Amino acid sequence: MKSHYRVVVIGGGIVGTSVLYHLAKAGWTDIALIERAELTAGSTWHAAAGFHAINDDPNIAALQTYTIKLYEEIEAESGQSVGMHMPGGYSLATTPERWEWLKSEFCVYQTLGIDARLASPEQIVADCPIVDPKGLLGGLFDPHEGAVDPHGTTHAFAISARKRGAEVILRNRVTALEPLPDGHWRVITEQGPVIAEHVVNAGGLWARRVGLMAGVNLPLTPMQHHYLVTEDLPELLAMNEEMPCVTDLEGFTYLQQERKGVLLGVYERNPKHWHTEGAPWDYGMDLIPEEIDRIAPELTIGFSRFPTLERAGIRRWVNGAFTFTPDGNPLVGPVPGLRNFWAACGCMGGFSQGGAIGRVLASWMVEGDPGTDIFGMDVARYGSFASNDEYLREMTAQFYSRRFIIAYPNEELWAGRPLKTTPAYDAQAALGARFGVVHGMETPQYFASGDPAFEEKPSLRRSNADRFVAAEVAATRNAAGLLDTGVYARYEVSGPGARSWLDGLLASRLPSPGRLRLAPMLNPRGRLMGDLSVTCLSPDRYWIVGSYYLQTWHLRWFNDHLPSSGVRIDNLSESWLGFSLSGPRSREILARLTNEDVSNAALPFMGCRVMDVGSTQALVARLSLTGELGYEINVPAAQQRVLWGSLLEAGRDLGIAPIGMRAQDSLRLEKGYGVWSLEFSSSVSPFACGLDRFIDFDKGEFIGREAALRERELPPTQRLVLLAIDSPEADVTGHEPVRRGDRRVGYVTSGAYGHHVRQSLALAYLDVDALEADAPLGVDVIGTSRPARWLREPPYDPAATLLRS
Ligand SMILES: Cc1cc2nc3c(=O)[nH]c(=O)nc-3n(C[C@H](O)[C@H](O)[C@H](O)COP(=O)(O)OP(=O)(O)OC[C@H]3O[C@@H](n4cnc5c(N)ncnc54)[C@H](O)[C@@H]3O)c2cc1C
């Protein structure tokens, strides 16, 4: 071991070795992996090591595809077999709902470029003779499913990394981490101290403990997981080919061939945590005693789907632990609040994702950018609230137990809730609010007004709650809607350097005092980092408003670019709240609560003012996402409850209605407005999504200007457009393919029913040449192609006169 390395990777599991390999491949060779025991000594050695390309998040699906393709490469480079088997795999449908869901997933996979196919029960049984076809309706076959040898694969990464100059140091526990004033780390190990410019936490089962050494409590925890391996089965002995893997979604089990027997794994509905704080330091390569009684209900279903198992001998039981995060995705990237400390942990699918985590992290460390939109696995997608033990336990148990359960688009899950509520929460609940959750914050989805006993049914089709949403849309279009904006993040930027700093950070021109602007923020690749609004309160005081759930992510970006003096940024997201009041009567309502002149001349579109509103003192900005005349009214959190009551009271005789996010979605789609994470993301070019019109190339330097200028010369190949879909009973939710004839010409980003225009609507990225041809389009809605057409202008108020009225 040397005294100094550019990077020390802590942990020699599948993830740590992949990080080491990718760093070495990217040219950083003064690097070392330090491992407490032997390579694979955490979760890795006893993993079932199955892999698949499929993931709900298309960006993660693409990265999983990368991981799978990499196996051949590292086997060749290292000369070490990875024990690759890729017979493909079936997901079974044994209920009509599941079959419908699989058919709709099949369409989404086409968007993701995964060449899956639907299969009949006969086909499944022909390929997998141990499957009992009773009640089987069909299945989805993914050709990229299989398994590797966890030991061989980990060593293949390590050998390849060593060949490129990296060091692997075994039997040497890291016992402490000390930050140094220059941003480097003193890494204390059993074999002595070492200085590292960067530290990567790939500590797997111990990653929470390793994080705490650096002063950060990461939201991850180990949980137990069982599988069994059988003796040889006669059906498999009779087969020449390897049998495809099988996941019995309604049975909570997955199965893969192992030699001439099978490995059957269980995602039980009664899961169990294991050392929430991280594995004990003296935990060896041991198994946890199996708890067969706890998994018996799922095993019973598993044995009835695969009856031959009842007669099979069990060669071994495995009960091991691996780590889960609240949403089941890993924690990757620079840890907010720390310098040069990187996360590569919380990974429950090391053999689908380990390769990609290594590539993304190495790109981030070497190039300063992960290279693609990885928000779904970014360590900064969580705030510190997510590391609370109780929250973590509830969320991870919910994720684990629902691993194979259908996730309906209109379904709200209840783990870890309520955690954060705005002061108006109880008053909203009393009016029938049904809440969703964003980054821990309860936020009304709709108000079941006048029907306290109403129960929403989870469905792929239009929800039975739509009558409430329709009424909220009507109220907004005809009178006024009042939406809680607790889902906004608010930041104040102040100081003598505030204006010039913001000018370099944001791609838009900055507003003058009393005005606001929509402000795209770019990264050096010219891709979006935010669709913010910036408000100028005075020449050295600004507000930035963005998405509440992005606050840790955005603050990391802001702080990374903050100069050492002259600018201060305060996160007001928990201390300021407010409402969006919009609709034709909204000015009248506001005027009833203030002595200020709120006429169009005095407070025009994109104007802002600090004013009294009822008994509160508010920052009022004139804009809306509904397409109506509207105001965003922001107040200190303690005044939000009073403001809620004042606004409702003032608008009562004018027809005001409290509205939720579902109505907002319907309203924004009628205007064709995109939102972050659906239409806009860090993999999207501002020219493709239309945000380029807010970029001011003439103002001088700003982050991403050069890349955006280059991109301006190349017309985008796809464009964000609004579609009308003829679909009588369901709307699209995202990622569905759009076709022209047989050709896939794009994909949907979001959809909703436009209750005012009475039309199913979707935003979609479409190939530009498909638009030029102006031919009829088709969109897959729950697996069935529906006619669609491009709307050249939004169906509601295309000239945007109401917004400016
Ligand atoms: C029963 C079971 C079945 C599974 N099945 C699958 C499957 O089919 N497919 C799949 O993709 N995944 C599966 N997994 C999950 C998979 O094993 C994990 O996703 C993966 O192993 C995580 O790898 P890792 O490198 O992040 O962590 P780990 O394998 O836990 O490695 C972390 C390493 O860090 C070292 N370390 C920790 N702290 C220190 C320190 N302070 N100093 C030095 N070294 C340290 C540890 O000794 C360990 O070697 C399964 C896991 C189990 C237990």
Side-chain angles (χ1 to χ4, degrees), residues 238-257:
M239 284 175 76
N240 295 326
E241 302 283 305
E242 186 175 350
M243 189 185 75
C245 309
V246 184
T247 303
D248 182 11
L249 295 163
E250 258 61 52
F252 310 96
T253 54
Y254 61 90
L255 176 144
Q256 66 204 36
Q257 181 166 342

Side-chain angles (χ1 to χ4, degrees), residues 398-446:
Q398 173 175 273
F399 175 83
Y400 188 107
S401 61
R402 293 182 54 89
R403 179 99 167 91
F404 292 153
I405 289 181
I406 298 177
Y408 289 98
N410 65 335
E411 195 173 20
E412 291 300 336
L413 304 179
W414 279 98
R417 297 175 61 187
L419 176 61
K420 303 189 220 170
T421 57
T422 70
Y425 176 82
D426 289 340
Q428 291 165 347
L431 291 177
R434 300 300 157 95
F435 293 90
V437 66
V438 177
H439 207 61
M441 177 69 90
E442 295 297 322
T443 177
Q445 298 300 299
Y446 60 91

Side-chain angles (χ1 to χ4, degrees), residues 187-209:
V187 180
I188 313 297
T189 79
E190 288 172 334
Q191 293 173 17
V194 53
I195 303 296
E197 290 173 31
H198 300 266
V199 169
V200 177
N201 177 0
L205 282 177
W206 294 263
R208 206 163 173 208
R209 291 180 184 274

